[in-house]
Amino acid sequence: MQAHKIPLFKHWVSEWLARSVIFAILMTCLFSFALYSSPVTVMGYYGVATTDVQYAMVLIYGSTVTFLALDSRIVKYFTSRKYLLIGLTTNGICTLICFHSKSWPLFLICQFAQGITCALLSSIVLHLVFPRLHSTRARVIGYTILYAGIQISIPLYSIYCSMVLHYLDFNWLFYGANILLLLLTATVLITMDAKARLHKKIPLYQVDWIGYLFYTSFVLLLGYILIYGRQLGWFSSTVICQLVLAAVCILILFIIREMRLKRPLINLRIFKAKNFVIGLLLLFVFYLFKGSTGLTYSHLETILKTDPLHTIPIWLAVISGTILSMYVTARFILLGTHLIRMIIVGFIIMGLYYSYMLFFISVTGSTADFILPMFIYGIATGVLFVPIVTFTASAAPAKIAVNASLIGILARFIGFCSSMAINNELQLFTRAAVQDQVRHAVNQINPQLPLTLQQIEQTYQNAGNDGLKSQVAANAFFNTMLKEQILARASRDYYDLMLTGVVLVIIMLIFLPKMQQVVLRLTKFNVPY
């Protein structure tokens, strides 16, 4: 990629400076997602529940997903620098509002707007880079760098967030984000040509604004149903039933509209492509398994009482594993290795991660015990992501390849939401099952119970406490210990179910011979969202 071939930059901008600015824009637009690296802090700052924080994540992710479909037309109307500055300015205003306000509804509105700016910024970066990568080799390397950046952005910013939250309040994260946006805005103004365009200017006519509203409404309703379904009682709730009916009606209207339009928001004929649907299912399943790591971080925080600064080695392990595996994976793809075989290897490595967690997760241990499994998880992520995306993109016809990317990111979004819904459901189920077993084992007729309480009480008395205080403290300590044991056992049961799911996916991939026929085919028109 030569700098003089990039019309967006001024003539004096070197190749490496151009690449650095592009990568900085990409990483900056992902900053808002890192705010959720510590959900407990968000809950405490705004005074909301766990499901509210989860839906805030859904809101910003869903806003990004739907605006990307609209962006392919809007990006051709504005000059590139102006479009970038609009996105940076909007993001900065939203961040400034969040810095000065503790209103949860206002925060959600800003998150929706920042999701749009994330789509805007990432889109112009991708339109800048990928259409100019003419060889398959360059596009594979481009895919790898792009998705490596996306995958490591969350743990990288989580390290930053952990350091800030250790010394300052939550709202100072917004202050740091604004400093970053100001620096990037200044860089864009200095290095980019004000009049340059990536595309010929196309007026904003025949843009499917109504389709965008349908699409956005459906995505946000689906996210709401999946996140709040358990809390509201699923289909026993009138609200959930009404929302499901509304979502189905909106989806039907959207499909009918898109099939009739000459220039649809998303060309749904992409679903006729062989193996494309299988690729979407793989993306969906991958994000289901990927979302289970939240339980690991919860275990570190809740049971091992690990403070945010001591989780930095965990994040570094994930980053190292991801970068290493993506580099190796790209080399194998360029050597012509079958994509499905690589995907099978990736799921096997993911299975190793779950197996490790099954045998070693307990109420004892240290943070260092989780460095290896999270490194393995990072490797699994790197091995799976690029081959699955490459497989899905290769299964799509060149003329409508961009639609494969738009539907692909929707599949990732649905997998992300479903992973949270399934995690909430399975954790509740496994904890209930463990609690039922404990209730039968730990009761007043169990002769071991009074002996255990007496030993704990004696420990407190030896420390200088009187009899009453020792008894109260012993009961409190025993209840805490019991809760930790229940959580650890429920976590093992959960990982056991996840491992079973991974094994089933591997078996299905082995016995689907038609998938082996997909060959690497990445056109320069395919922009990989």
Side-chain angles (χ1 to χ4, degrees):
M1 183 176 64
Q2 302 296 324
H4 67 272
K5 293 182 180 179
I6 305 176
L8 184 61
F9 292 94
K10 295 178 180 178
H11 64 87
W12 55 267
V13 176
S14 66
E15 178 181 353
W16 283 105
L17 179 57
R19 292 180 178 182
S20 300
V21 173
I22 292 170
F23 194 73
I25 295 170
L26 176 65
M27 297 300 288
T28 301
C29 75
L30 299 169
F31 181 87
S32 297
F33 290 92
L35 296 174
Y36 303 100
S37 59
S38 179
V40 175
T41 307
V42 181
M43 292 163 57
Y45 183 76
Y46 287 103
V48 295
T50 305
T51 49
D52 297 323
V53 177
Q54 290 177 340
Y55 189 69
M57 287 189 279
V58 169
L59 193 67
I60 185 172
Y61 197 171
S63 174
T64 303
V65 169
T66 57
F67 191 79
L68 281 172
L70 191 66
D71 174 83
S72 60
R73 289 295 306 278
I74 299 178
V75 73
K76 298 176 183 178
Y77 178 76
F78 293 98
T79 57
S80 301
R81 193 176 79 165
K82 181 182 289 186
Y83 199 49
L84 275 172
L85 292 175
I86 290 172
L88 291 171
T89 303
T90 305
N91 202 333
I93 292 172
C94 291
T95 305
L96 194 62
I97 292 172
C98 292
F99 177 72
H100 289 287
S101 172
K102 291 184 68 172
S103 169
W104 181 249
L106 191 58
F107 174 76
L108 293 180
I109 294 172
C110 290
Q111 289 292 277
F112 181 83
Q114 287 179 310
I116 292 176
T117 62
C118 178
L120 184 155
L121 295 173
S122 60
S123 168
I124 200 164
V125 168
L126 299 179
H127 279 88
L128 174 66
V129 176
F130 282 89
R132 288 163 174 75
L133 300 178
H134 298 288
S135 68
T136 299
R137 174 185 174 83
R139 285 191 289 275
V140 170
I141 294 174
Y143 269 60
T144 304
I145 294 174
L146 167 69
Y147 287 122
I150 292 175
Q151 290 298 304
I152 69 172
S153 64
I154 301 302
L156 185 64
Y157 281 132
S158 295
I159 294 174
Y160 163 77
C161 292
S162 298
M163 297 175 67
V164 171
L165 293 175
H166 186 76
Y167 299 103
L168 301 169
D169 293 333
F170 177 79
N171 64 326
W172 284 95
L173 293 177
F174 299 114
Y175 183 83
N178 256 333
I179 297 297
L180 188 64
L181 288 169
L182 285 173
L183 293 174
L184 185 58
T185 301
T187 304
V188 168
L189 286 170
I190 294 171
T191 60
M192 295 187 178
D193 193 329
K195 297 181 180 179
R197 290 181 172 274
L198 294 174
H199 307 276
K200 180 181 178 181
K201 183 175 181 179
I202 299 177
L204 292 178
Y205 64 89
Q206 294 184 341
V207 177
D208 190 11
W209 298 101
I210 296 177
Y212 169 71
L213 293 176
F214 282 153
Y215 190 33
T216 303
S217 300
F218 170 75
V219 164
L220 297 186
L221 280 175
L222 179 63
Y224 189 94
I225 292 166
L226 291 173
I227 298 302
Y228 288 99
R230 172 68 271 170
Q231 180 178 319
L232 297 177
W234 293 112
F235 291 103
S236 61
S237 167
T238 305
V239 174
I240 292 296
C241 291
Q242 291 174 345
L243 291 178
V244 169
L245 180 61
V248 171
C249 291
I250 290 172
L251 179 61
I252 292 173
L253 291 173
F254 177 74
I255 293 174
I256 293 173
R257 179 178 177 81
E258 298 307 293
M259 295 300 290
R260 290 182 176 180
L261 287 180
K262 183 179 179 180
R263 294 184 179 86
L265 187 72
I266 299 176
N267 193 335
L268 300 180
R269 293 175 180 81
I270 187 71
F271 285 97
K272 295 181 180 179
K274 294 181 179 179
N275 290 316
F276 175 71
V277 176
I278 295 177
L280 294 181
L281 291 175
L282 287 174
L283 279 172
F284 173 80
V285 169
F286 168 63
Y287 265 73
L288 281 182
F289 295 129
K290 186 175 180 292
S292 64
T293 53
L295 192 59
T296 305
Y297 300 122
S298 176
H299 180 84
L300 286 169
E301 184 178 351
T302 305
I303 296 181
L304 300 185
K305 305 296 189 296
T306 306
D307 64 82
L309 286 184
H310 285 85
T311 59
I312 291 178
I314 304 296
W315 296 117
L316 291 176
V318 175
I319 293 172
S320 302
T322 302
I323 293 175
L324 176 63
S325 60
M326 282 198 164
Y327 172 78
V328 174
T329 301
R331 304 299 300 176
F332 275 104
I333 292 176
L334 292 174
L335 290 173
T337 308
H338 282 292
L339 295 175
I340 290 301
R341 293 177 187 176
M342 297 178 66
I343 293 171
I344 291 173
V345 171
F347 278 117
I348 290 174
I349 297 174
M350 185 69 79
L352 291 177
Y353 160 72
Y354 285 125
S355 299
Y356 187 102
M357 299 304 294
L358 269 174
F359 285 103
F360 290 96
I361 195 167
S362 66
V363 295
T364 59
S366 65
T367 306
D369 297 331
F370 289 83
I371 293 177
L372 178 58
M374 296 312 293
F375 179 76
I376 295 173
Y377 163 78
I379 291 177
T381 300
V383 173
L384 283 169
F385 205 173
V386 176
I388 291 177
V389 172
T390 306
F391 174 88
T392 307
S394 297
K399 292 182 179 179
I400 54 175
V402 66
N403 295 278
S405 299
L406 297 176
I407 298 295
I409 193 173
L410 175 63
R412 285 152 53 190
F413 168 79
I414 295 175
F416 171 76
C417 296
S418 300
S419 70
M420 288 193 289
I422 292 174
N423 288 352
N424 294 339
E425 197 73 30
L426 285 181
Q427 288 182 47
L428 186 65
F429 173 76
T430 52
R431 288 183 192 181
V434 174
Q435 285 176 342
D436 188 57
Q437 294 174 3
V438 170
R439 192 180 301 111
H440 287 86
V442 182
N443 51 51
Q444 295 299 326
I445 63 174
N446 189 330
Q448 188 61 38
L449 178 61
L451 293 176
T452 302
L453 289 173
Q454 186 177 0
Q455 290 174 356
I456 298 173
E457 185 176 341
Q458 186 63 45
T459 302
Y460 279 101
Q461 288 179 357
N462 294 338
N465 295 290
D466 59 37
L468 181 60
K469 287 184 178 180
S470 297
Q471 185 179 7
V472 173
N475 287 325
F477 177 82
F478 181 78
N479 290 331
T480 301
M481 182 178 64
L482 203 60
K483 289 179 181 178
E484 291 178 350
Q485 291 286 352
I486 290 172
L487 181 60
R489 179 62 208 183
S491 298
R492 286 196 294 271
D493 290 344
Y494 175 82
Y495 285 122
D496 190 28
L497 291 171
M498 291 292 103
L499 179 60
T500 302
V502 170
V503 172
L504 291 175
V505 170
I506 293 172
I507 293 173
M508 291 176 63
L509 291 176
I510 292 174
F511 289 99
L512 287 175
K514 290 184 178 180
M515 297 176 65
Q516 302 286 347
Q517 300 172 5
V518 174
V519 295
L520 181 63
R521 185 177 67 249
L522 300 176
T523 69
K524 67 177 181 178
F525 304 105
N526 187 12
V527 180
Y529 293 125

